[in-house]
Amino acid sequence: MANRRATSKSAGKTRVLLVCDGSLCPVTRFFQTTLSAKQDTYSLTLFNLEDEDSSLSTADGTEGYDGFDLILQTAMPHSAEDLVNALEDAGILDQISKQSSSLEPNPLVLLPGFYQLLGEGAAEFPFPVNLLGYSPLNLLQPERHRVELTYPIDCLDEAKELAGSFFESLGCSVTCYPESPGMVLPRVLACLANEAVSALVEGVASASDIDTAMTLGTNYPMGPLRWADKIGLDVILATLTHLHQVLGDDRYRPLPLLRQKVWANQLGEKTGQGFYHYPDTAFTTKPLLL
Amino acid sequence: MPTPVNKLPFQTVSVLGSGTMGAGIAQILAQAGCTVWLYDIETRFLESGLGRIQASLDAGVAKGKFTPEAAESALKKINTTTQLDLLRDCELIIEAVPEDLALKQGLFQSLDSICPANTLFASNTSSLSITALASATKRPQQFAGLHFFNPVPLMKLVEVIEGRQTDESTIKQLWELSLALNKTPVRAKDTPGFIVNRVARPYYGESFRILSDQVGDVAMIDQILTEAGGFRMGPFTLMDLIGIDINFAVTQTVYNGYFQEPRYRPHPIQAQMVAAGLLGKKTGQGFYTYENKHGK
């Protein structure tokens, strides 16, 4: 079983399906850049989760694929259900199912693990997968290479090792622990953002004064509202909603202003407007294979 | 063109309390050119406060931040007293005594009858209500919060806090003073914890919950928040530095100030650490162990 995955590799490469959201967010850019730089080890295929007519694009320009070893989702805050539906609509799931029927365990799936339950996520797939959650929030800023990995209680040790060595091969250090709602950094950041929003809503101070206070008064690397804009207000809201639902504690109740911003598509950097305005957001750029 | 220098809105300022914060505030006022009256209840506290200021100025000179002459002239600007009556000619009183509402209110009440009607009152409290402090005086319009951060000479931030009855000219003068002291002021309404001590609550609160969920130990949580988040210090290292008792007290103040709002609920681990006398660096043992009791 240990070598099963190795045998499924084409020409010795790990075939990665990178599921992004059609914008060149820093997380997608990180994986694109680092995986493309390791063409001897990885073959990379991109899939846009949000584009209904999306076809797969591969590094060597050929259409199509012959199966995947790793499905890596960078699109946020899409659920495992969104992922499976999009792959199904594009006909990719059938192909993987065929591949999977003869192979156990099936593709390793890595998806954002802080706004959904991993066990529920794994159950969305029509074939068994080894699924782990990760937090890409460190990748939003340079030089923060510690990645959090989290796994459901029935995760295979082999899958944990594979996931860990995948990130290590990209130059990341890894902290791996059993599933915990919101993970560590995303939980803390979502709650800091919610608290900053509550201070804003109460009229305690302006958004920029709140951020200035937290960077100068307690040395945060970024003000919580500016940071929330970078992460995406939809991602912050999804994290808080998940924590609220799973832990049932009122401390995680998202401020209504967060919902209003999300409904208005003021998601932060990626839409050009959040708590601040971003006239030249780089996120409008479509991802392209390098 | 030379950078315009912000004009000092006050020439003579009193600082009440010669502890770490009071000494720091007195130092930067004197360096900016104010005549400072440093008040405390006993001469030995004043001497120790002056000692802190001297040490801080010496360190600044050693680092080449200012000349020995500048340090000496700043020190000469600081007068000390244990008599409140002598503060009657100050244009501004900045209070930095221990965080005890009755103690602070008592001082302001006395000064209210000593000082002329146009003297401004400010408190450096980090968590008590400015409105409640102002209520001890007959001049709540001329009363505001002026919250500096430790160490005062180094930290750029000042929270200028508007009480329920504070008038705009009071805020404006304190804002100008902050700029003249080369600080970055932010404006906040009088609410529990103001900005920093309120918005920072989840950094500790969530970390405690992650710890008690057995996700990892304090070192692992600190490592994730510093290496993945870019925070300068992990929450447990930071609490050890601040003092676990101090941090717990702030948490309780904000929690009770918001009438038991669940977002601010303290964690039993905090109460237990305090009960055990494990207060952090200052006791040699907090979430981590420190070889030297003073954490050096």
Side-chain angles (χ1 to χ4, degrees):
Chain A
M1 182 152 141
N3 291 324
R4 184 73 49 79
R5 190 168 311 275
T7 60
S8 71
K9 288 177 187 177
S10 70
K13 292 186 188 181
T14 302
R15 299 160 302 175
V16 181
L17 180 66
L18 186 64
V19 182
C20 55
D21 65 2
S23 71
L24 189 59
C25 77
V27 178
T28 303
R29 192 162 53 209
F30 169 80
F31 285 115
Q32 256 196 307
T33 311
T34 49
L35 291 172
S36 303
K38 292 176 177 293
Q39 290 193 2
D40 293 343
T41 319
Y42 297 107
S43 73
L44 177 61
T45 307
L46 278 175
F47 176 70
N48 181 350
L49 185 74
E50 288 181 340
D51 181 359
E52 287 180 9
D53 304 319
S54 179
S55 59
L56 301 178
S57 51
T58 53
D60 55 9
T62 56
E63 291 272 316
Y65 46 89
D66 59 351
F68 297 103
D69 306 299
L70 170 61
I71 299 173
L72 172 64
Q73 180 188 327
T74 57
M76 296 189 287
H78 305 77
S79 65
E81 191 182 355
D82 297 336
L83 170 67
V84 167
N85 287 342
L87 291 172
E88 197 162 49
D89 291 348
I92 300 169
L93 220 49
D94 289 342
Q95 291 292 329
I96 303 176
S97 291
K98 281 177 205 158
Q99 166 208 355
S100 302
S101 58
S102 60
L103 291 169
E104 292 282 351
N106 295 303
L108 183 65
V109 177
L110 293 174
L111 40 74
F114 53 93
Y115 53 76
Q116 58 189 336
L117 286 172
L118 299 175
E120 255 176 39
E124 291 291 334
F125 287 84
F127 45 82
V129 290
N130 288 315
L131 183 142
L132 285 92
Y134 77 106
S135 156
L137 297 193
N138 62 312
L139 302 173
L140 292 169
Q141 284 153 290
E143 308 300 325
R144 307 238 173 103
H145 283 172
R146 181 159 298 275
V147 170
E148 292 175 61
L149 264 180
T150 186
Y151 51 86
I153 51 173
D154 57 352
C155 188
L156 297 179
D157 287 342
E158 187 205 9
K160 294 175 210 168
E161 283 160 24
L162 270 171
S165 54
F166 168 69
F167 280 109
E168 279 162 5
S169 78
L170 306 183
C172 297
S173 3
V174 175
T175 303
C176 190
Y177 52 85
E179 177 165 22
S180 172
M183 302 183 70
V184 177
L185 179 62
R187 176 170 172 175
V188 170
L189 291 184
C191 290
L192 281 174
N194 205 34
E195 193 54 49
V197 174
S198 88
L200 181 68
V201 169
E202 252 180 69
V204 177
S206 67
S208 63
D209 273 3
I210 290 170
D211 279 352
T212 300
M214 300 315 287
T215 50
L216 296 183
T218 183
N219 284 324
Y220 284 8
M222 197 178 282
L225 296 170
R226 179 68 188 79
W227 211 338
D229 270 2
K230 193 173 251 315
I231 293 165
L233 302 189
D234 50 348
V235 176
I236 297 287
L237 178 63
T239 309
L240 290 165
T241 306
H242 174 62
L243 285 163
H244 193 205
Q245 199 172 37
V246 173
L247 299 173
D249 190 330
D250 269 354
R251 60 192 284 116
Y252 303 107
R253 189 177 56 231
L255 265 288
L257 179 62
L258 269 176
R259 284 188 204 285
Q260 291 160 5
K261 301 282 268 185
V262 171
W263 281 327
N265 201 38
Q266 295 183 3
L267 307 180
E269 278 188 8
K270 60 186 164 188
T271 61
Q273 177 71 47
F275 291 107
Y276 300 92
H277 183 56
Y278 305 92
D280 303 312
T281 175
F283 283 44
T284 50
T285 318
K286 294 269 180 198
L288 293 167
L289 278 168
L290 301 169
Chain B
M1 219 173 79
T3 317
V5 176
N6 285 291
K7 200 169 161 282
L8 270 173
F10 307 97
Q11 301 309 314
T12 311
V13 179
S14 168
V15 177
L16 311 179
S18 59
T20 311
M21 295 304 288
I25 296 165
Q27 180 192 329
I28 59 166
L29 284 166
Q31 284 183 285
C34 289
T35 299
V36 179
W37 281 88
L38 185 59
Y39 163 88
D40 213 318
I41 46 171
E42 287 185 36
T43 312
R44 62 189 172 108
F45 296 144
L46 289 167
E47 282 165 1
S48 124
L50 281 178
R52 286 175 214 269
I53 295 169
Q54 180 77 64
S56 170
L57 288 170
D58 288 349
V61 170
K63 283 179 189 161
K65 286 185 181 171
F66 34 80
T67 63
E69 293 74 29
E72 196 179 326
S73 83
L75 203 58
K76 279 187 186 155
K77 289 275 209 182
I78 302 174
N79 312 285
T80 58
T81 181
T82 55
Q83 287 175 279
L84 282 182
D85 287 349
L86 291 183
L87 309 182
R88 72 170 64 83
D89 295 326
C90 294
E91 300 149 76
L92 167 68
I93 309 277
I94 302 174
E95 168 275 312
V97 304
E99 293 282 64
D100 176 328
L101 183 69
L103 171 68
K104 288 176 195 265
Q105 282 181 328
L107 269 174
F108 279 121
Q109 198 170 13
S110 306
L111 286 165
D112 199 30
S113 51
I114 292 167
C115 297
N118 58 349
T119 304
L120 295 194
F121 287 0
S123 174
N124 180 57
T125 183
S126 61
S127 55
L128 296 175
S129 161
I130 295 303
T131 307
L133 292 172
S135 75
T137 72
K138 294 188 184 72
R139 63 183 84 197
Q141 296 81 8
Q142 284 152 264
F143 197 115
L146 193 64
H147 184 210
F148 292 87
F149 289 77
N150 187 24
V152 178
L154 298 181
M155 297 294 274
K156 294 289 283 180
L157 187 71
V158 178
E159 290 177 329
V160 179
I161 298 135
E162 179 192 352
R164 176 62 67 178
Q165 294 162 279
T166 309
D167 70 22
E168 201 56 35
S169 83
T170 303
I171 296 290
K172 189 167 173 282
Q173 291 178 74
L174 294 176
W175 190 272
E176 282 167 9
L177 173 68
S178 306
L179 293 173
L181 295 174
N182 198 25
K183 298 293 180 195
T184 305
V186 291
R187 182 174 177 156
K189 282 215 180 96
D190 180 26
T191 42
F194 314 131
I195 304 175
V196 174
N197 278 329
R198 180 241 188 92
V199 177
R201 284 349 300 154
Y203 191 57
Y204 312 104
E206 289 312 307
S207 298
F208 275 122
R209 281 159 183 84
I210 291 164
L211 181 68
S212 63
D213 286 351
Q214 308 279 330
V215 175
D217 59 12
V218 295
M220 184 185 110
I221 296 165
D222 276 356
Q223 187 181 45
I224 290 172
L225 289 166
T226 52
E227 292 181 19
F231 288 95
R232 192 168 297 176
M233 264 186 236
F236 297 103
T237 307
L238 188 52
M239 276 186 277
D240 271 3
L241 187 68
I242 295 168
I244 294 163
D245 51 339
I246 305 284
N247 188 275
F248 183 42
V250 174
T251 309
Q252 286 176 294
T253 305
V254 178
Y255 180 59
N256 292 322
Y258 275 100
F259 300 106
Q260 291 79 48
E261 161 63 44
R263 289 204 309 276
Y264 310 119
R265 195 189 309 125
H267 196 279
I269 297 173
Q270 290 175 285
Q272 197 178 53
M273 296 293 282
V274 173
L278 306 174
L279 308 182
K281 264 194 169 181
K282 62 186 171 187
T283 63
Q285 177 72 50
F287 296 107
Y288 299 93
T289 304
Y290 303 87
E291 284 180 14
N292 181 317
K293 264 204 159 189
H294 302 287
K296 285 181 182 154

